[in-house]
Amino acid sequence: MSGLRLTEFVKRPNPGSAGKAIKINANFFEITQLPNINVYHYDVTITPDVPPLVNRRVFEHMLVVHGKSELDGSRPVFDGRKNIFSPRVFPFDSKTFDIILPEDEIPRGVVPRRPPRSFKVKIKKASEINLEELHRFLNAKSALTTNCLTAIMALDILIRHKPAMLYSSVGRSFFTPDGAQPLYGGVEVWNGFYQSARPTLGRMMINLDVAATAYYQSGSLLELAVKILDRRNIDDLRRGFSDRDRSKLEKSLRGLLIRVTHRSEVKRKFKITKLTPTPASSTLFMKENTKTDVATYFFQTYGRRLQYPFMPCVVTGRDVFLPMEICTVIEGQRHIKKLNEKQTADMIKFTCQPPQVRANKIKDGLKILNYHENEFLNDFGMKVATEMVQINARVLPAPTISYHPSSRQANFVPRDGAWNLRDKRVATGATLGSWGVIVFGTERDLPLTFAQAFIRELIVTCVDTGMTIPNKQPPILYANPHGDIEDSLKNAWMRAGNAVKSQPQLLVCILPNTGVPLYAEIKRVSDTVIGIPTQCVQMSHTRVPKKQYCANVCLKINVKLGGMNAFLSPNQTPFLTQKPTILFGADVSHPSPGDTTRPSIASLVGSMDAKAARYAATVRVQTARTETIADLGGMVVELLRTFFQTCGQKPERILFYRDGVSEGQFAEVLRSEVASVRAACTTLDANYRPTITFVVVQKRHHARFFPTRREEGDRNGNCMAGTVVDTGIVHPFEFDFYLQSHAGLHGTSRPTHYHVLYDENRFTSDSLQEFTYKLCHLYARCTRTVSLVPAAYYAHLVAARARFHSKGERWSDTESSESNADESTYLAVKPDLLRVMYFM
């Protein structure tokens, strides 16, 4: 058996044993009885090509018509696209059925261009799946073969088949309008449930979680328009409908499906393509060789006087003009566009649920799914447990954190994942000699005396916290937030430099709001044009400056100037201190869905000292939606050089935390990226071969943990910071684990999933889990443990910041993804900044 290559990744060493053992519940439900039959896989092709929703109706209709006669009465399940799985073999290898879909079978939410009524359904046998092979994989006796993958896919489709027939489904989730809550701007959020079949050691599980997504509010189109334009009622629009309103409304409504109410016999759906530039009363078209306007036409044809002739018409199909007041929005249309700030805030409120509430909602989902009485599951002979699985977990001990020796408590062990800065001084305080302050607003917004008082409080806090600030009176400038930001910043930079005759180190920017455009422009100019760290603060916080707020700002300023806030004593992190070691964090950030113009951004950060407290960064712009980092070699060379210049040594070990990779991409990313790191090392020196460990870090998963006993949870009812899970719900034999390293502030905490793909440093489960958890105490921006290992967190911040480095972005319109940003418009960060943590 030992000769068998079970996995191309790393096999799990023995499970960890460090920490305090506890039992927790996880939102996984055991499949207590797997089908012990052969499952038959068929390829299906439905022509003409229509969306999955219509495919399902066609499939369902085919079963009604031909199920008994042609398919021997079996109950196959269908994924809506290409795959059918059946518990019984069909009496043919390949067959084509002609299906005519009755008129009322065209489902809601699907646009017809006069929908095709007749379909051809071609069914062809693909394979026969013996589940024996899946059992062998689950018991770590066989690798994950194509056959196993198909078997898992079959189970996935089996549990999703019925909900997809009954509800609005998106990917692995389905949603219901029951209990929908309105968000701002004509959008509402629907509750839903996510389900996925997951292999674990010796058994298959179903991971069941709550989900939520945004839909357009159905019903009157006029009401929706009023909400999108943020008016109280339709009469507010009577006074004037500006071009800006029109363009905003058109952007929001484009692609929406509507029905008309003025002719009850018309069941047709229409898709909005645009709005007319003129109101209904003056939108002209040719009718029987004479020009007439829409309002007059409606009066003459239907005897209907338009109540709102001042509103534009919606245009559908081949220039059909419809007055808004006769249109209703069809239910169940997803809002795919990016939510704006207010909608996002509402969405977070709606989805943020304490653990107990979430656990109960998951149980409600189980009732709705009702696996027990699902005829498809019964037909396949599959049974699912009705209780969440109880698993073994451990709570790892917190490390001792060190601040400057002159602090009152220089070394301490944090409790419950959080501590404060009172009586503590940063480990290495930076010196701030040359700096300036720029207020974006007028003296009416923030009088000079207030600005000075805030700066005084900030200086006192920074000095108390261990920084040195010889220049206590930096020049304060006022600038127009809507003016030429680049010019204002250059001006402030000159003033700051002239005030003390030395190169400025920092500009503090006081902002009037939390809007993206001003912030983005400040960061573009300071990072890529002037090359100076900036610290932005909200004006609302400066009027009555709070100690706690100033302390948080101080932590960020200190690291931006090359200081170090806190560290772990060398004996706690032998992996870092025994040999020169570099930690890398990498991430690729992709443009939002539907954005066709923006590229993807790859970022890499590397630790620059034996304490892993300071990091340097590098960024590349690459082709949109490519997951592997195109120029990883060049980026690694850059950071290895900086490490050598900073420490005078070459790292002998590399630990690489890679964020943002999904399971399906593991093999590709591993192949390409470990090879790039290797090649980068040999570029520097043909004989240079440090040992490499490559770990994928995932936050986008649906595993959630719930304490089984109240006293084992934190005060919000979440599991304790430091909870680690490496049995029960993890991979049958690969080296992965879940670590909930933070104390959640709101809602249910999400553990981070770490999966080791490559390991030449021979980590044990305990050594990697404990080391990763300790690192989570060193995130420089706050005095809490964070949910993500800092190297990956910083990489994420660097990639997010790089989005602002493009010239010609229009950030002012958060609802559109309009930009003329391609790879060429992104400006490089100034080299000096890359060595300090400018991205904080």
Side-chain angles (χ1 to χ4, degrees), residues 526-646:
S526 63
D527 292 350
T528 69
V529 181
I530 307 177
I532 183 173
T534 43
Q535 179 57 56
C536 292
V537 291
Q538 292 301 318
M539 201 175 281
S540 55
H541 289 294
T542 60
R543 292 189 184 101
V544 185
K546 290 200 174 69
K547 252 302 185 233
Q548 179 66 49
Y549 179 76
C550 290
N552 286 347
V553 173
C554 164
L555 289 176
K556 295 166 81 166
I557 291 176
N558 191 44
V559 291
K560 283 176 185 175
L561 299 176
M564 174 172 65
N565 292 343
F567 65 97
L568 302 177
S569 57
N571 60 343
Q572 298 186 87
T573 52
F575 181 73
L576 275 179
T577 47
Q578 285 161 351
K579 292 179 181 174
T581 300
I582 189 168
L583 305 181
F584 281 121
D587 191 14
V588 177
S589 116
H590 301 296
S592 53
D595 183 343
T596 51
T597 54
R598 293 194 179 100
S600 286
I601 293 174
S603 60
L604 181 70
V605 301
S607 60
M608 289 296 136
D609 56 21
K611 296 188 167 70
R614 299 210 333 265
Y615 286 77
T618 176
V619 180
R620 297 288 187 279
V621 174
Q622 60 183 42
T623 318
R625 307 199 195 292
T626 42
E627 191 40 68
T628 47
I629 299 176
D631 184 29
L632 184 61
M635 297 165 86
V636 169
V637 165
E638 220 175 286
L639 292 181
L640 286 174
R641 282 207 174 109
T642 311
F643 184 94
F644 185 71
Q645 288 156 2
T646 313

Side-chain angles (χ1 to χ4, degrees), residues 14 430 493 520 695-696:
N14 290 334
W493 181 80
V695 184
V696 167

Side-chain angles (χ1 to χ4, degrees), residues 256-271:
L256 214 54
L257 299 179
I258 52 169
R259 279 208 174 87
V260 292
T261 55
H262 66 300
R263 298 169 60 197
S264 53
E265 77 282 4
V266 177
K267 290 270 193 291
R268 263 192 76 183
K269 298 174 184 176
F270 300 91
K271 185 181 202 166

Side-chain angles (χ1 to χ4, degrees), residues 357-376:
V357 176
R358 193 181 191 105
N360 289 336
K361 280 210 165 159
I362 290 170
K363 287 173 188 150
D364 292 345
L366 200 67
K367 287 193 193 95
I368 294 174
L369 282 164
N370 195 353
Y371 294 129
H372 185 56
E373 286 172 25
N374 179 324
E375 62 277 28
F376 296 97

Side-chain angles (χ1 to χ4, degrees), residues 371-584:
Y371 294 129
H372 185 56
E373 286 172 25
N374 179 324
E375 62 277 28
F376 296 97
L377 264 67
N378 293 340
D379 230 25
F380 276 80
M382 178 163 134
K383 288 195 169 68
V384 182
T386 52
E387 291 294 325
M388 273 190 202
V389 65
Q390 196 177 77
I391 51 174
N392 293 320
R394 290 168 289 115
V395 181
L396 299 176
T400 300
I401 301 178
S402 300
Y403 279 86
H404 194 274
S406 66
S407 308
R408 211 176 66 188
Q409 252 193 317
N411 306 296
F412 64 96
V413 177
R415 290 196 44 191
D416 304 332
W419 60 98
N420 64 40
L421 272 178
R422 263 203 303 273
D423 303 325
K424 292 183 187 61
R425 298 166 74 83
V426 290
T428 318
T431 299
L432 181 54
S434 176
W435 57 309
V437 179
I438 179 165
V439 179
F440 285 94
T442 63
E443 283 215 44
R444 276 193 33 214
D445 301 322
L446 185 70
L448 186 59
T449 49
F450 280 79
Q452 288 166 331
F454 170 70
I455 294 300
R456 272 201 304 277
E457 182 60 41
L458 183 62
I459 291 171
V460 167
T461 309
C462 287
V463 172
D464 285 350
T465 313
M467 284 178 65
T468 308
I469 305 185
N471 175 8
K472 304 263 195 300
Q473 288 184 310
I476 297 176
L477 260 75
Y478 284 82
N480 177 0
H482 306 293
D484 184 336
I485 307 301
E486 184 165 331
D487 203 46
S488 304
L489 287 164
K490 283 177 173 164
N491 194 3
W493 181 80
M494 294 282 293
R495 286 276 302 270
N498 291 338
V500 289
K501 302 285 180 285
S502 72
Q503 182 80 357
Q505 297 164 273
L506 177 80
L507 290 178
V508 172
C509 302
I510 298 178
L511 275 48
N513 55 31
T514 53
V516 174
L518 176 58
Y519 180 83
E521 183 61 0
I522 289 171
K523 293 304 184 186
R524 179 189 72 79
V525 174
S526 63
D527 292 350
T528 69
V529 181
I530 307 177
I532 183 173
T534 43
Q535 179 57 56
C536 292
V537 291
Q538 292 301 318
M539 201 175 281
S540 55
H541 289 294
T542 60
R543 292 189 184 101
V544 185
K546 290 200 174 69
K547 252 302 185 233
Q548 179 66 49
Y549 179 76
C550 290
N552 286 347
V553 173
C554 164
L555 289 176
K556 295 166 81 166
I557 291 176
N558 191 44
V559 291
K560 283 176 185 175
L561 299 176
M564 174 172 65
N565 292 343
F567 65 97
L568 302 177
S569 57
N571 60 343
Q572 298 186 87
T573 52
F575 181 73
L576 275 179
T577 47
Q578 285 161 351
K579 292 179 181 174
T581 300
I582 189 168
L583 305 181
F584 281 121

